[in-house]
Amino acid sequence: MECRACPRLVEWREKVAREKRAAFRDWEYWGRPVPGLGPADARLLIVGLAPAAHGGNRTGRIFTGDRSGDVLYAAMHAVGLTNQPTAVHRDDGLRLIGTRITAPVKCAPPENKPTPAERDECRPWLDAEIELLRPSLRAVVVLGGFGWQALLPVLADHGWTIPRPRPRFGHGAHVELASVRPAGSLHLFGSYHVSQQNTFTGKLTPAMLEEVLAAAARAAGL
């Protein structure tokens, strides 16, 4: 995956890859856009925010090699969505079960804060993934309000009806979106993001995340 459309993100991802973190000085950083992970016929999609500077930007795999990924994959394994509870590097044997993970912004942003313009520039990649998954997709879990706002217009453009007023993001939010295509409705779930700020403070606990993932898995028929 190659893209240089956002100068600020390109500069940051490559700067991080050159300078590295001391703990990872022996790593050859990925330093490029990070693609989605999981089968092309997944029934469940998990949508994050963007790769972490020393996580996905280092390893080349989303939510891999950082503490956010540690929390996410442990919870996914607990509810049967992965074959193992850890994600360390691209060749560690991790396999997602009926599930795909992506993000609306594919490059690591400074301070983990992409801009709306960068989100919009990156939208064609998310559009392509949703179109790929469209025949099989039955449920989505969105981690955080940024992903929620990014995803709703994409879902609308791919044939799902967004209620008015728009569904509001919140942890445990759940709305079923009707479809104008014959493939069927889509269950949309919200969860607080697995950021260190949320997990360290207890705003998001493993049990809270597992509850949302389990509900989404059931809705997806997994």
Side-chain angles (χ1 to χ4, degrees):
M1 184 176 182
E2 289 291 345
C3 181
R4 305 186 67 82
C6 300
R8 188 182 78 110
L9 298 188
V10 172
E11 180 182 6
W12 176 248
R13 80 190 190 204
E14 294 180 355
K15 178 177 187 290
V16 169
R18 286 193 309 271
E19 297 180 357
K20 306 182 180 181
R21 178 174 282 172
F24 306 122
R25 61 182 179 275
D26 296 329
W27 274 78
E28 181 178 348
Y29 272 56
W30 176 259
R32 303 195 295 277
V34 179
L37 174 67
D41 60 351
R43 297 179 66 86
L44 171 61
L45 177 66
I46 297 173
V47 178
L49 170 63
H54 301 282
N57 190 58
R58 171 172 61 90
T59 63
R61 195 173 71 188
I62 195 164
F63 281 116
T64 297
D66 64 5
R67 291 178 179 174
S68 294
D70 293 344
V71 173
L72 177 61
Y73 287 117
M76 291 178 66
H77 183 259
V79 301
L81 298 177
T82 67
N83 67 322
Q84 63 188 45
T86 57
V88 181
H89 56 80
R90 292 197 305 278
D91 300 316
D92 60 10
L94 177 70
R95 180 172 56 86
L96 275 57
I97 300 169
T99 305
R100 187 173 177 88
I101 302 177
T102 193
V105 176
K106 305 298 188 189
C107 293
E111 299 181 346
N112 294 318
K113 293 180 179 179
T115 67
E118 290 161 349
R119 173 202 65 200
D120 294 344
E121 188 69 45
C122 209
R123 176 173 165 168
W125 298 102
L126 185 59
D127 272 312
E129 282 187 284
I130 296 297
E131 185 61 27
L132 177 72
L133 295 170
R134 184 66 175 79
S136 60
L137 192 63
R138 296 294 177 268
V140 181
V141 174
V142 185
L143 304 174
F146 184 95
W148 186 272
Q149 295 302 322
L151 184 64
L152 287 179
V154 176
L155 295 179
D157 283 354
H158 287 269
W160 285 287
T161 302
I162 307 301
R164 292 186 179 277
R166 271 189 171 192
R168 296 183 62 182
F169 171 78
H171 184 83
H174 175 210
V175 59
E176 185 173 0
L177 307 179
S179 174
V180 297
R181 298 187 188 177
S185 62
L186 182 71
H187 291 266
L188 180 65
F189 294 84
S191 170
Y192 292 141
H193 195 278
V194 287
S195 66
Q196 291 185 46
Q197 180 179 359
N198 287 342
T199 58
F200 283 5
T201 61
K203 182 176 182 179
L204 178 67
T205 66
M208 291 168 62
L209 180 57
E210 289 171 22
E211 184 177 11
V212 173
L213 291 173
R218 288 192 297 270
L222 295 173

